């Protein structure tokens, strides 16, 4: 059972950047499909970025070209580099992992972190 802990959130001005980290423990993440998800105030949770076990990535339309997901299996960590941030990016950001490929379909993921807040103003 993998445990996930996010960090790196904060308050940033429009156009700024943040790098989120998700550190895993309990199991190596190398066999897990992983993603970043977010839930804004009054909104449903949504997928942001996905990375498979081989490093292939997929992004939500809202994130493509601005966000970059990456993984470091040696350090059991997942990252999300966010550039050109907009007010609509304000949300709680979660990392998630699963043994199966669910892409950006957040409801299918088994393992979740507690989230890190990102506020853009």
């Amino acid at each position: 059972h993998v445990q996930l802990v996010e960090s790196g959130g904060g308050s940033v001005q429009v156009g700024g950047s943040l790098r989120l980290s998700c550190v895993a423990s309990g199991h190596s993440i190398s066999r897990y499909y992983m993603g970043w998800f977010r839930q804004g105030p009054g909104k449903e949770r949504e997928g942001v970025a996905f990375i498979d076990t081989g490093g292939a990535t997929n992004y939500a339309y809202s994130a493509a070209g601005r966000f970059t997901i990456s993984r470091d299996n040696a350090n059991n960590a997942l990252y999300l580099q966010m550039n050109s941030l907009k007010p609509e990016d304000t949300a709680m950001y979660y990392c998630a992992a699963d043994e199966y490929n669910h892409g950006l379909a957040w409801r299918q993921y088994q393992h979740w972190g507690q989230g890190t807040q990102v506020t853009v103003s």
Side-chain angles (χ1 to χ4, degrees):
H1 194 81
V2 64
Q3 291 85 44
L4 305 170
V5 178
E6 303 94 333
S7 62
S11 296
V12 63
Q13 291 185 336
V14 173
S17 298
L18 282 174
R19 188 188 193 214
L20 305 184
S21 299
C22 172
V23 176
S25 61
H27 280 284
S28 168
I29 66 167
S30 61
R31 66 190 184 103
Y32 286 92
Y33 298 86
M34 302 190 73
W36 286 98
F37 304 84
R38 69 186 182 187
Q39 187 165 13
K43 297 181 180 180
E44 185 175 297
R45 192 170 295 192
E46 63 178 358
V48 175
F50 164 77
I51 188 165
D52 73 8
T53 55
T57 59
N58 187 31
Y59 297 91
Y61 179 80
S62 59
R66 300 188 299 128
F67 294 3
T68 302
I69 187 172
S70 60
R71 64 193 298 160
D72 181 349
N73 290 341
N75 289 304
N76 238 25
L78 178 74
Y79 303 102
L80 185 68
Q81 178 67 43
M82 304 188 295
N83 299 328
S84 302
L85 283 162
K86 306 174 181 180
E88 50 264 44
D89 295 317
T90 294
M92 185 71 78
Y93 283 72
Y94 302 88
C95 72
D98 202 277
E99 296 179 7
Y100 300 97
N101 186 343
H102 302 302
L104 294 174
W106 65 269
R107 287 185 176 89
Q108 307 301 319
Y109 281 78
Q110 292 293 313
H111 309 289
W112 290 86
Q114 84 291 346
T116 186
Q117 178 68 38
V118 172
T119 302
V120 185
S121 60

